[in-house]
Amino acid sequence: LAEKLQNTLGKLKGKGKLTEKDVKEAMREVKLALLEADVNFRVVKNFVNKVKERSIGHEVMESLTPGQQVVKIVNEELTSLMGKEESKINFADNPPTVIMLCGLQGAGKTTLSGKLGNLLKKKGKKPLLVACDIYRPAAIKQLQVVGGQVDIPVFSMGDKQNPVNIAKAALEHGKKNGNDVIIVDTAGRLHIDEGLMDELGNIKNEINPNEILLVVDAMTGQDAVSVAESFNEKLDIDGVVLTKLDGDARGGAALSIRAVTGKPLKFVGMGEKLEDLEPFHPDRMASRILGMGDVLSLIEKAQANIDQKKAMELQNKLRNQDFTFDDFLDQLEQMKNMGPLSQILEMVPGMNSKQLKNLNVDDKELVKIEAIIKSMTKNERNDPSIIDGSRRKRIAKGSGTNIQSVNRLLKQFKETRKMMKQFSGMEKAMKKRGRMN
Ligand code: GDP
Ligand code: MG
């Protein structure tokens, strides 16, 4: 989706003057791209009409950079489609806060129990996980394993008890043990059925959760949206967690769910590991879809894993585009703690999946890059433009690589800088807009 939209909007951006026809044509392509990404058709129709209406307006057509104005409008409307700002969990005034997870089988509820528990534990809470899936073989064991991985206790009563009773007993247990967050993992089915809905309704009535989170699999696209609609009708959910976003290149579900159910997306699952959970930020998701990259998420991720001071420095350097090969080297060191490189690079502005494939970064490549940078002199690291032919030869020799590798790295570095520059300009424009609103 990102690539398609970028192409379409890229065409507009370059234009000095826009006609109504330009906008209409672009919107036709935007519409197709969204439909292809499996965004709900009602949502697409509304979206395109809104953007068209705003774009053909007087201010845009008369402005100096109409193309960029349209891109801005698309970004704004994408953001508001997904909710204006980050939605948080409703914590109870009197703990424990009870969070009930529900969703179809395989959506990622049990995994989310661990992820959410882990996240809240890091924030100083004392969570308890509750095993209410008594149907799926080994479901209880699975939750116990997940709990064990993040060192969070799991309450279970085997599979002979009724889930309503288990939930009730878990609440008592949690209160007694000083657990301030109780996360209830429920059973799913392959499809929505009355039996499941009744059971979930009964659990809800018994424990009166502060937060009912529906877990849906992003890779199921439109199905995720209709599942969300059904669950919301029956249970009046408080929010949605979109899992497996790491495997969903299209992003259609993220765009439709809020508009169709009226309920906010609260978290996104970005992988199978228990650290792979992120708060959902509509504005960042919109930028990501538009291909501007997700610098803020990147920085947040960095802050979680890198020491704070260094992260601040990085942030400023990225903004001012004066980062050098030394910073780059520093980054490489720190990145090793941040998880798979491809996931990190996806968040860098301007990177799309095609570019990523071209970059082809694997860990072996990293070792090479490190060696090359280490073979540069201080001056060369600060100002790569002085690295001429003979210096390249020396660096290649010193690092045990070859001229091609050195050239490639220099080129990548230059391009990264250029991208940062582009982003920085965009960011300024966005800040300005923020002030005008
Ligand atoms: P449940 O049936 O709803 O409890 O689903 P599970 O928690 O058992 O998850 C089903 C499968 O999805 C497991 O293999 C998980 O590892 C996987 N999974 C869950 N969340 C994510 C995610 O965010 N990304 C990816 N790639 N896999 C996930
Ligand atoms: Mg489960």
Side-chain angles (χ1 to χ4, degrees):
L1 179 59
E3 234 169 274
K4 285 244 166 68
L5 285 181
Q6 252 176 312
N7 284 342
T8 305
L9 297 173
K11 272 185 246 161
L12 277 188
K13 241 194 227 169
K15 290 207 174 183
K17 197 140 184 67
L18 286 189
T19 63
E20 212 167 301
K21 195 165 143 256
D22 289 331
V23 172
K24 282 202 172 132
E25 242 162 49
M27 285 312 120
R28 218 172 52 94
E29 283 178 51
V30 167
K31 190 162 149 186
L32 286 178
L34 290 172
L35 286 173
E36 230 170 86
D38 218 4
V39 179
N40 181 285
F41 78 94
R42 275 175 289 160
V43 176
V44 174
K45 209 168 140 203
N46 270 336
F47 176 80
V48 168
N49 283 342
K50 249 190 216 156
V51 174
K52 228 191 268 174
E53 202 175 286
R54 285 184 61 191
S55 301
I56 294 177
H58 188 70
E59 280 155 75
V60 173
M61 306 303 267
E62 297 297 309
S63 78
L64 281 174
T65 52
Q68 282 179 20
Q69 300 284 344
V70 175
V71 175
K72 244 168 66 180
I73 292 173
V74 170
N75 193 9
E76 279 172 11
E77 291 297 332
L78 274 180
T79 304
S80 82
L81 200 57
M82 294 182 283
K84 284 245 150 38
E85 53 202 36
E86 185 188 338
S87 305
K88 304 218 157 117
I89 287 190
N90 298 307
F91 284 105
D93 294 331
N94 287 320
T97 297
V98 180
I99 303 175
M100 174 174 163
L101 306 183
C102 54
L104 294 184
Q105 190 168 312
K109 296 176 294 301
T110 304
T111 310
L112 181 70
S113 306
K115 287 180 174 179
L116 201 54
N118 185 36
L119 193 90
L120 294 173
K121 191 178 154 200
K122 277 192 185 156
K123 293 195 167 154
K125 303 272 185 210
K126 269 190 74 185
L128 174 71
L129 310 184
V130 183
C132 279
D133 182 356
I134 57 166
Y135 307 104
R136 197 174 177 178
I140 298 175
K141 181 83 199 144
Q142 188 195 354
L143 189 68
Q144 283 164 343
V145 169
V146 161
Q149 281 171 5
V150 284
D151 200 16
I152 292 175
V154 175
F155 181 89
S156 71
M157 293 169 73
D159 55 9
K160 302 288 179 284
Q161 282 285 339
N162 169 334
V164 178
N165 292 337
I166 300 176
K168 192 174 155 192
L171 232 64
E172 290 305 316
H173 175 90
K175 278 181 197 159
K176 242 185 267 153
N177 280 273
N179 295 110
D180 48 11
V181 179
I182 296 181
I183 300 174
V184 182
D185 180 28
T186 65
R189 302 274 199 283
L190 288 175
H191 304 282
I192 293 197
D193 74 52
E194 285 303 314
L196 169 69
M197 288 302 172
D198 287 346
E199 177 176 307
L200 293 173
N202 291 338
I203 298 178
K204 173 183 172 180
N205 290 339
E206 180 62 47
I207 60 177
N208 197 15
N210 302 92
E211 180 91 25
I212 301 180
L213 288 179
L214 172 67
V215 183
V216 293
D217 177 343
M219 294 205 287
T220 59
Q222 273 308 291
D223 283 341
V225 181
S226 60
V227 165
E229 239 179 331
S230 310
F231 271 82
N232 189 39
E233 243 166 58
K234 294 271 162 67
L235 294 171
D236 187 20
I237 59 175
D238 297 290
V240 178
V241 178
L242 201 54
T243 61
K244 309 185 197 177
L245 204 61
D246 49 310
D248 173 51
R250 302 180 301 175
L255 281 174
S256 310
I257 282 179
R258 166 84 195 212
V260 170
T261 62
K263 296 296 163 70
L265 283 156
K266 295 202 172 179
F267 294 96
V268 289
M270 298 299 295
E272 295 193 38
K273 286 206 283 342
L274 297 182
E275 301 87 65
D276 298 333
L277 184 69
E278 294 175 11
F280 179 76
H281 299 282
D283 49 342
R284 296 186 203 173
M285 187 72 186
S287 316
R288 190 131 136 191
I289 289 173
L290 277 180
M292 292 202 241
D294 195 346
V295 168
L296 287 172
S297 286
L298 177 62
I299 288 167
E300 243 172 34
K301 202 165 178 138
Q303 277 170 339
N305 294 286
I306 306 181
D307 81 79
Q308 289 279 358
K309 211 173 129 234
K310 285 227 163 115
M312 280 302 289
E313 276 169 22
L314 166 67
Q315 188 174 347
N316 285 332
K317 281 189 166 142
L318 286 179
R319 291 229 160 94
N320 301 328
Q321 311 131 43
D322 58 10
F323 70 106
T324 65
F325 265 120
D326 267 326
D327 302 317
F328 199 54
L329 198 58
D330 223 32
Q331 256 340 91
L332 285 183
E333 294 291 328
Q334 309 242 19
M335 267 189 191
K336 286 177 189 158
N337 308 321
M338 283 171 66
L341 192 57
S342 57
Q343 202 186 336
I344 295 163
L345 286 180
E346 257 166 51
M347 296 186 215
V348 172
M351 290 265 186
N352 55 40
S353 45
K354 214 155 110 209
Q355 282 169 315
L356 273 177
K357 266 188 221 116
N358 289 344
L359 270 180
N360 196 8
V361 270
D362 55 29
D363 291 330
K364 250 194 271 156
E365 195 73 13
L366 278 189
V367 175
K368 233 184 191 174
I369 290 176
E370 214 173 324
I372 295 175
I373 299 177
K374 282 190 170 148
S375 295
M376 295 177 187
T377 65
K378 194 92 204 142
N379 284 339
E380 287 166 349
R381 290 185 204 182
N382 280 329
D383 181 12
S385 68
I386 64 169
I387 305 181
D388 56 14
S390 69
R391 284 176 191 254
R392 283 175 201 221
K393 241 184 247 160
R394 193 206 76 240
I395 292 169
K397 219 174 192 176
S399 58
T401 60
N402 49 37
I403 291 267
Q404 286 86 343
S405 300
V406 176
N407 285 340
R408 199 163 52 232
L409 177 63
L410 287 170
K411 192 159 158 249
Q412 279 170 8
F413 186 77
K414 209 165 123 197
E415 270 170 14
T416 309
R417 266 194 163 174
K418 209 165 76 197
M419 280 192 294
M420 292 304 164
K421 203 166 179 171
Q422 280 168 359
F423 180 75
S424 180
M426 240 182 289
E427 199 187 36
K428 270 185 209 131
M430 270 153 53
K431 278 219 185 98
K432 213 151 121 205
R433 185 192 73 209
R435 249 184 268 126
M436 288 190 310
N437 286 349

